[in-house]
Amino acid sequence: QVQVVQSGGEVKKPGASVKVSCKASGYTFNNYGISWVRQAPGQGLEWMGWVNPYNGNTNYVQKFQGRVTMTTDTSTNTAYMELRTLKSDDTAVYYCAIDSPQDSSSSLYWGQGTLVTVSS
Amino acid sequence: QSALTQPASVSGSPGQSITISCTGTSSDVGGYNLVSWYQQHPGKAPKLMIYEGSKRPSGVSNRFSGSKSGNTASLTISGLQPEDEADYYCRSYAASNSFGLYVFGSGTKVTVL
């Protein structure tokens, strides 16, 4: 069965960077894209971007462009999301989500979430 | 461009039916048949409930159904049960310069009375 396991929580100071990992298993990693979604405390879901493990193509929300990098390592079936120049309002739970095999526009498998806290 | 608009809260008694709306524009909801719906219980990751507007993934109860009319998508929960109490989010393909590929709705808290 498909499993998606994310790295543990992080505490960072403003201006620092964070890199969250997302290790997938139970399917052919190259075949399905991976979205990154975040959720600030008490707030809704926000789609941040997407990476294609097959060719490394990415698509980012404009507000994060220049500050985010999404990559994959096909040798370890792991996706990464790096967010730089952190601000206090980047405090959120960050999720990775795997495209559905039936419909690439939806996310079927989700990681457990990684809490990133930005505080001085 | 803002997130898709959903009602903040919807409630119903056990056994009743409720409908959650998700209103966008012709550039997202109205332009594509690519709306998905997610259920999220407190402290948990979202769960896919509906994809391509009206299709259910394997294992999702047939009490959940989706539809679309114009720029508004809807999720209907029939025979409401206590375990349906959760937050629900729609998501649509958007492919815009500012939003990227996808945009989420603002979220709806469903309360089972």
Side-chain angles (χ1 to χ4, degrees):
Chain A
Q1 73 282 20
V2 174
Q3 288 191 312
V4 185
V5 180
Q6 297 183 221
S7 48
E10 304 258 16
V11 179
K12 297 290 184 180
K13 293 191 182 303
S17 299
V18 69
K19 192 169 186 176
V20 179
S21 68
C22 167
K23 184 170 177 60
S25 60
Y27 71 99
T28 303
F29 184 72
N30 280 6
N31 285 3
Y32 306 105
I34 298 171
S35 287
W36 287 90
V37 175
R38 75 178 187 178
Q39 186 170 36
Q43 302 301 308
L45 301 174
E46 179 178 27
W47 191 83
M48 298 178 65
W50 174 91
V51 58
N52 182 339
Y54 177 75
N55 55 18
N57 285 353
T58 55
N59 184 284
Y60 303 140
V61 172
Q62 192 173 67
K63 68 179 281 188
F64 297 112
Q65 283 183 0
R67 214 162 60 93
V68 72
T69 302
M70 297 175 186
T71 57
T72 58
D73 181 344
T74 56
S75 68
T76 60
N77 289 358
T78 303
Y80 298 93
M81 188 283 299
E82 181 181 35
L83 189 61
R84 301 176 291 277
T85 319
L86 291 168
K87 301 170 282 189
S88 57
D89 60 5
D90 290 318
T91 293
V93 175
Y94 289 76
Y95 294 101
C96 62
I98 315 301
D99 288 353
S100 167
Q102 284 76 33
D103 163 37
S104 60
S105 74
S106 60
S107 296
L108 180 57
Y109 304 108
W110 292 69
Q112 82 276 19
T114 297
L115 176 61
V116 175
T117 303
V118 183
S119 173
S120 55
Chain B
Q1 191 173 4
S2 302
L4 307 177
T5 301
Q6 299 180 230
S9 62
V10 173
S11 61
S13 299
Q16 286 187 330
S17 293
I18 61 169
T19 296
I20 302 167
S21 61
C22 169
T23 301
T25 69
S26 57
S27 298
D28 38 64
V29 175
Y32 311 92
N33 198 28
L34 294 174
V35 173
S36 49
W37 288 89
Y38 301 85
Q39 176 193 65
Q40 187 181 34
H41 287 108
K44 300 295 187 181
K47 175 185 176 182
L48 179 65
M49 305 302 285
I50 295 287
Y51 66 96
E52 289 181 352
S54 61
K55 299 176 182 178
R56 281 186 307 275
S58 174
V60 171
S61 171
N62 58 9
R63 298 186 299 103
F64 292 84
S65 62
S67 62
K68 191 184 87 167
S69 177
N71 295 336
T72 298
S74 298
L75 174 72
T76 297
I77 310 174
S78 305
L80 199 60
Q81 297 184 1
E83 59 264 33
D84 299 333
E85 185 161 296
D87 294 325
Y88 291 83
Y89 296 90
C90 61
R91 187 178 95 176
S92 175
Y93 182 77
S96 74
N97 286 336
S98 56
F99 261 20
L101 287 178
Y102 302 105
V103 59
F104 276 103
S106 46
T108 298
K109 181 175 181 58
V110 168
T111 301
V112 181
L113 301 171

